[in-house]
């Protein structure tokens, strides 16, 4: 909500305060996501990526994308442990369930890792355009409305990065 003088936040005791209308307390992580929610989620991410990258936006947002190598390495390590698990690694129902779910999507994970690595090579060869990115758009940061609307929250990791 804008302040009396039209700003989006106010400084108070060295802290920034902003007020937003209450929209929902239903997190997408808690489900269920309808087809309308998934479409709206894609539309929200597309709208974020379409924000013009002005000089002011460049000044305000840090560069992102540097975490890809560590994410790929961590994902590979988990995949390896779950591909040929030590029985001690699966000591418990949660670990066994994770291994079962992971094995069902292992091929897709490998495809995604390869694509991330290909994009990283392309980026090193010649940096492409950057867009505004949320930085942490998981389902715990997505609120669901009854009418298929969604709200992307928790913007403290916003960055300028390739849209991928």
């Amino acid at each position: 909500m804008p302040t009396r003088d039209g700003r989006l936040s106010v400084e108070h005791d060295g802290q920034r305060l902003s007020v937003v209308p209450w929209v929902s307390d239903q997190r997408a992580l808690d489900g269920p996501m309808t087809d309308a929610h998934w479409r709206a989620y894609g539309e929200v991410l597309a709208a974020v990526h379409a924000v013009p990258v002005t000089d002011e936006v460049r000044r305000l947002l840090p560069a992102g994308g540097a975490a890809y190598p560590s994410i790929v390495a961590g994902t590979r390590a988990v995949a390896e442990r779950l591909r040929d698990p030590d029985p001690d690694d699966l000591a418990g129902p949660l670990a066994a369930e994770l291994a079962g779910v992971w094995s069902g999507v292992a091929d897709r994970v490998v495809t995604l890792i390869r694509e991330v690595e290909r994009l990283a090579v392309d980026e090193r060869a010649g940096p492409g355009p950057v867009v505004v990115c949320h930085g942490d758009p998981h389902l715990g940061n997505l609120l669901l409305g009854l009418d298929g609307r969604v709200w992307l929250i928790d913007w403290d990791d916003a960055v300028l990065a390739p849209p991928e």
Side-chain angles (χ1 to χ4, degrees):
M1 306 296 294
T3 63
R4 288 183 184 141
D5 61 359
R7 293 179 295 144
L8 295 179
S9 65
V10 64
E11 299 288 329
H12 181 71
D13 289 335
Q15 301 292 316
R16 184 179 304 150
L17 174 67
S18 61
V19 177
V20 296
W22 184 262
V23 292
S24 174
D25 62 354
Q26 175 70 41
R27 294 182 321 151
L29 188 62
D30 300 327
M33 287 274 288
T34 65
D35 288 345
H37 288 126
W38 282 110
R39 278 190 297 281
Y41 184 32
E43 290 167 2
V44 165
L45 291 175
V48 170
H49 289 176
V51 169
V53 180
T54 63
D55 289 341
E56 182 179 17
V57 169
R58 286 185 191 283
R59 184 177 54 77
L60 293 172
L61 293 181
Y68 289 128
S70 63
I71 292 170
V72 167
T75 304
R76 277 208 167 108
V78 169
E80 187 61 34
R81 285 183 73 182
L82 293 175
R83 184 179 308 113
D84 187 23
D86 181 320
D88 292 337
D89 285 345
L90 300 181
L94 186 59
E97 181 181 354
L98 172 62
V101 169
W102 193 282
S103 69
V105 297
D107 291 343
R108 283 189 264 169
V109 170
V110 168
T111 299
L112 288 170
I113 288 172
R114 286 185 185 139
E115 185 63 11
V116 166
E117 290 175 323
R118 184 191 65 76
L119 291 168
V121 168
D122 290 351
E123 183 70 16
R124 284 192 299 268
V130 295
V131 297
V132 174
C133 295
H134 179 275
D136 194 22
H138 60 77
L139 297 183
N141 283 336
L142 191 66
L143 300 178
L144 304 178
L146 296 176
D147 56 358
R149 292 180 63 191
V150 298
W151 295 270
L152 190 56
I153 61 170
D154 194 8
W155 284 84
D156 42 333
D157 289 327
V159 294
L160 289 177
E164 297 82 13

